[in-house]
Amino acid sequence: MEQGDIWDADVALRYDTPGTGMFAPEVLGPTVDRLARLAEGGAALEFAIGTGRVAVPLAGRGVPVAGIELSPSMVERLRTKADEATIPVIIGDMATTTAPGEYTLVYLVYNTIANLLTQAEQVACFRNAARHLGPGGRFVVELWVPELRKLPPGQPAVVCRSDPGYILLDTYDTLRQHVVSHHFHFDGTRQAELFRTPHRYVWPAELDLMAQLAGFELESRHADWDGTAFTAESRSHVSVYRLPPSP
């Protein structure tokens, strides 16, 4: 299934969970705070802008925000919160689609670069970010660290979360660096709803090499948006890459 088919109208309608999950203030607040600082008064471009989870509050902080998004259904949901004049969005693939203008910040949050399922597409995404930035511009990527240490030899799957009404099961293809997340939702009956999302996982070192190929240097890496130190035990990272400034 193509990524554009996954993020359809039904998924877009259920995507927003105001006040909880990735929309919780303790998750969203530090994200917006950090991005606003990194923009340094310039304009920001969000790859895979979705329903505007980050873009809407960031624009509310006075940062001009534009977006690129593959799913028209997600953009329709965004339009219930902000019009085209406030947050312009180009429909297309974040690896190749361009938006007009020059930006001081391009950002990709919540593991979205992993939605590109080949290394070549992920490298192209870095190059596309560089294409939109002026000298000294930054590209920010939020991504999880593959948890292959949880995977015993011969076992292709691991349970990532088990909450009342929800189970997340990941199945791995370590040869291709692919993982499929299986989201099981239970509504109190005997029936369950299954939603699958494919990803290509990326190690931090591989991500850094992609950045170098696009002309970036790693400026900082933390375990979260609050600036917690990144260690071997960190389960995710926020990596800030920067283009060289003008001579």
Side-chain angles (χ1 to χ4, degrees), residues 31-108:
T31 305
V32 174
D33 289 344
R34 183 87 186 279
L35 290 173
R37 291 194 300 269
L38 290 171
E40 292 189 334
L45 175 65
E46 180 171 358
F47 284 177
I49 195 171
T51 66
R53 179 183 73 95
V54 174
V56 170
L58 186 59
R61 295 280 296 274
V63 178
V65 182
I68 293 174
E69 172 57 48
L70 185 63
S71 167
S73 297
M74 300 292 272
V75 177
E76 286 180 13
R77 183 71 179 169
L78 167 59
R79 287 289 165 249
T80 66
K81 311 170 191 177
D83 61 20
E84 177 71 16
T86 304
I87 302 179
V89 178
I90 304 296
I91 300 294
D93 182 346
M94 61 184 167
T96 58
T97 302
T98 57
E102 185 176 273
Y103 302 85
T104 61
L105 176 70
V106 177
Y107 64 94
L108 253 178

Side-chain angles (χ1 to χ4, degrees), residues 113 126 141 143 202-211 237 239 241:
I113 195 170
F126 270 87
V141 180
L143 188 60
V202 191
W203 301 101
E206 183 184 6
L207 204 70
D208 292 350
L209 183 55
M210 292 179 184
H237 59 96
S239 296
Y241 299 99

Side-chain angles (χ1 to χ4, degrees), residues 5-16 73-74 193 195:
D5 298 327
I6 294 171
W7 306 103
D8 58 17
D10 289 339
V11 173
L13 187 63
R14 299 193 304 268
Y15 188 81
D16 291 357
S73 297
M74 300 292 272
E193 181 178 314
F195 174 60

Side-chain angles (χ1 to χ4, degrees), residues 20-200:
T20 63
M22 60 180 167
F23 286 81
E26 63 271 19
V27 175
L28 194 52
T31 305
V32 174
D33 289 344
R34 183 87 186 279
L35 290 173
R37 291 194 300 269
L38 290 171
E40 292 189 334
L45 175 65
E46 180 171 358
F47 284 177
I49 195 171
T51 66
R53 179 183 73 95
V54 174
V56 170
L58 186 59
R61 295 280 296 274
V63 178
V65 182
I68 293 174
E69 172 57 48
L70 185 63
S71 167
S73 297
M74 300 292 272
V75 177
E76 286 180 13
R77 183 71 179 169
L78 167 59
R79 287 289 165 249
T80 66
K81 311 170 191 177
D83 61 20
E84 177 71 16
T86 304
I87 302 179
V89 178
I90 304 296
I91 300 294
D93 182 346
M94 61 184 167
T96 58
T97 302
T98 57
E102 185 176 273
Y103 302 85
T104 61
L105 176 70
V106 177
Y107 64 94
L108 253 178
V109 297
Y110 222 76
N111 308 319
T112 314
I113 195 170
N115 290 353
L116 299 170
L117 300 181
T118 68
Q119 185 185 69
E121 289 176 313
Q122 291 171 344
V123 170
C125 183
F126 270 87
R127 288 177 170 151
N128 198 28
R131 191 178 298 128
H132 287 90
L133 291 166
R138 293 182 172 97
F139 183 35
V140 182
V141 180
E142 177 187 19
L143 188 60
W144 94 98
V145 177
E147 298 186 86
L148 297 190
R149 287 183 295 178
K150 288 186 174 180
L151 203 63
Q155 180 175 313
V158 61
V159 176
C160 298
R161 279 181 58 186
S162 180
D163 301 328
Y166 175 71
I167 293 175
L168 171 59
L169 180 73
D170 281 349
T171 54
Y172 285 84
D173 176 350
T174 55
L175 183 63
R176 297 189 300 155
Q177 291 183 212
H178 278 193
V179 58
V180 177
S181 295
H182 307 259
H183 307 263
F184 295 90
H185 296 271
F186 305 90
D187 60 4
T189 68
R190 289 180 178 270
Q191 294 184 340
E193 181 178 314
L194 173 60
F195 174 60
R196 293 189 179 96
T197 53
H199 312 277
R200 182 184 186 270

